[in-house]
Amino acid sequence: MEETVETIHIYHTNDIHSHFENWPQIHHFLQQRKQQAEADGECYFLFDIGDHIDRSHPFTEGTEGKGNIELLNKAGYDAVTIGNNEGITMSKEALNIVYEDAKFDVVLCNLTELDGKLPYWAKMSKVFETTDGVRIGVIGATAPYYAFYDQLGWSVGEPHAALQKVARNLRTQCDVIVCLSHLGIKEDRLLAAQCPEIDVILGAHTHHLLPNGEWIDDTLLAAAEKFGHYVGHVQIEVDRITGQVVHMKAEVFPTQLMEMTEEDMEEVNSLFAKGEETLQVPVFYNPSPLSQRLTGDSPLSSLFGRALLTYLDADCALFNAGIFLGSLDKGWVTKGDLHSLLPHPINPCLIHLDGTDLLTVYEQSLDPKWAKLPIKGLGFRGTLMGSMIHEHLYRNNDGQLFAGNRLVEPGEMYTLATLDMFTFGFFYPILKEAKKEYIMPEMLRDILGWYGRKYFNER
């Protein structure tokens, strides 16, 4: 009986977010596992489920993501899908060239050019065939941040319908269907229930860990948390004669148990150093030190507030003091300085608000809880929110609120420059529904650099 069964090993990573401190161990581990599979006459595949790239790391920023692709190439990945960090924190031009040297396939069925064509670097699906003729169909999709993709000039589609269509078309040609899903655990469970054609869903996006997988009917879900803390492994056994899956199981391997050598440490440090070297490009000359504070206005927040107002041509601005991860010294400010000061993949946003709503947002922003609130995710790469900073948004001695030099009144419209993370409904529910324009692909550091050049160099 045993001779008729082929064993297939699938290793998977997700949401590495340029946390290269674990990468050398992961690389060695995968090499060993590949050699072991080959020695045992078994099949081995390696997939990444997106958000490998994170522009908060100088190596990623300095190489515009191409350094990450080089690491995936060296580790021998077979296919990947993209996460939102690849898709919406990079300009369309940068995303269109980031995979040009990839030695693996990018599988993605819900992102197209505006004319409906797949980007040239992506495939709707990929069929891998083992030496014994077992065919494995791989499909993939990414989280549909509609407003962001739209602003960048992409068309992103609803993933469930797209994946089901591709899976059903592939089913007759394949023995096993594996989905690379950068959609999140809830969406994966829904997809498994709706689309029994998929055998395995490798998950990402919500940084969830499924130590032994999770079964939804006959579909196996697997996920390996985030930052390279784990490598996932799914073992599939297929009857060579009937092409039927006879057994599947999932497990994860913690990287903290993998050996790390001194050479590995050096490699991690060298990636950081390479990135920093690339970013040593002067942007503007800063005539006096600009310090920052977590609990109120500072010379740095004042400069940044003016930068936001000017770039977005807004009446007023609102942002948090915790976005600054340091201060700016006197002297030349480089791309690297701006990157370490504002590493967040956060875009500015211009919001159109009625006076009543602007007053509500202003009053919510005064809550003292913000100063010490820990923040994770939403693009934020600091630790604490810090107090809310208001630029051109203030009360006069009579307690009336002004936006610039205009009294804030019900029925009148005002423009507020702020950060995209405040528009997702977690902090200011009103901003989720308000009319807004995301400014893309500019990050906060780009706005500060632009204003510094304009304000200091042109005076």
Side-chain angles (χ1 to χ4, degrees), residues 139 167 171 177-179 191 195-201 218-219:
I139 61 179
R171 191 68 262 188
I177 292 184
V178 177
C179 175
L191 179 65
C195 190
E197 288 84 354
I198 299 172
D199 296 292
V200 179
I201 297 175
D218 293 329
T219 302

Side-chain angles (χ1 to χ4, degrees), residues 226-276:
K226 64 176 179 181
F227 300 169
H229 294 156
Y230 298 88
V231 174
H233 172 229
V234 172
Q235 186 171 317
I236 306 173
E237 287 168 13
V238 180
D239 188 309
R240 291 184 177 96
I241 296 164
T242 64
Q244 294 292 305
V245 172
V246 292
H247 183 68
M248 293 197 290
K249 67 171 186 178
E251 61 186 333
V252 295
F253 296 95
T255 45
Q256 67 184 38
L257 300 181
M258 298 173 192
E259 189 197 354
M260 187 166 197
T261 65
E262 215 162 289
E263 287 84 11
D264 293 340
M265 293 287 289
E266 281 168 17
E267 188 188 331
V268 170
N269 293 335
S270 80
L271 293 179
F272 203 90
K274 271 184 208 166
E276 291 205 309

Side-chain angles (χ1 to χ4, degrees), residues 269-442:
N269 293 335
S270 80
L271 293 179
F272 203 90
K274 271 184 208 166
E276 291 205 309
E277 200 180 314
T278 320
L279 295 171
Q280 289 309 309
V281 179
V283 180
F284 64 87
Y285 186 83
N286 177 32
S288 59
L290 295 168
S291 59
Q292 58 93 14
R293 295 171 58 209
L294 195 60
T295 53
D297 295 341
S298 65
L300 184 56
S301 71
S302 172
L303 180 71
F304 180 74
R306 295 201 305 274
L308 265 186
L309 284 180
T310 310
Y311 197 88
L312 275 67
D313 192 19
D315 294 321
C316 53
L318 174 72
F319 54 95
N320 59 306
I323 56 169
F324 306 111
L325 307 191
S327 301
L328 282 182
D329 295 332
K330 178 182 175 177
W332 279 100
V333 174
T334 65
K335 277 187 174 183
D337 295 328
L338 291 172
H339 182 263
S340 58
L341 181 73
L342 292 162
H344 329 279
I346 290 176
N347 302 98
C349 184
L350 185 69
I351 306 187
H352 300 262
L353 287 172
D354 172 89
T356 308
D357 290 341
L358 182 56
L359 182 61
T360 302
V361 168
Y362 176 77
E363 283 172 352
Q364 287 171 344
S365 75
L366 301 175
D367 192 324
K369 75 174 180 205
W370 298 123
K372 298 279 172 66
L373 185 72
I375 303 293
K376 280 186 180 172
L378 305 174
F380 187 65
R381 300 293 183 256
T383 49
L384 299 176
M385 175 79 88
S387 55
M388 293 294 164
I389 307 287
H390 308 93
E391 195 69 32
H392 283 205
L393 188 62
Y394 60 94
R395 287 194 191 275
N396 67 5
N397 294 336
D398 299 329
Q400 295 171 301
L401 186 65
F402 279 78
N405 52 12
R406 294 170 60 204
L407 178 65
V408 175
E409 297 179 283
E412 289 291 313
M413 291 304 288
Y414 304 84
T415 50
L416 173 72
T418 189
L419 318 181
D420 65 26
M421 73 171 187
F422 292 146
T423 68
F424 303 138
F426 298 102
F427 309 114
Y428 299 102
I430 283 172
L431 300 186
K432 189 175 184 185
E433 304 307 324
K435 183 188 169 198
K436 60 185 81 73
E437 300 160 50
Y438 292 109
I439 310 303
M440 301 182 77
E442 299 88 333

Side-chain angles (χ1 to χ4, degrees), residues 2 11 54 156 191 254 368 377 395 455 458:
E2 274 308 302
Y11 289 89
D54 193 309
V156 70
L191 179 65
R395 287 194 191 275
Y455 182 71
E458 292 177 7

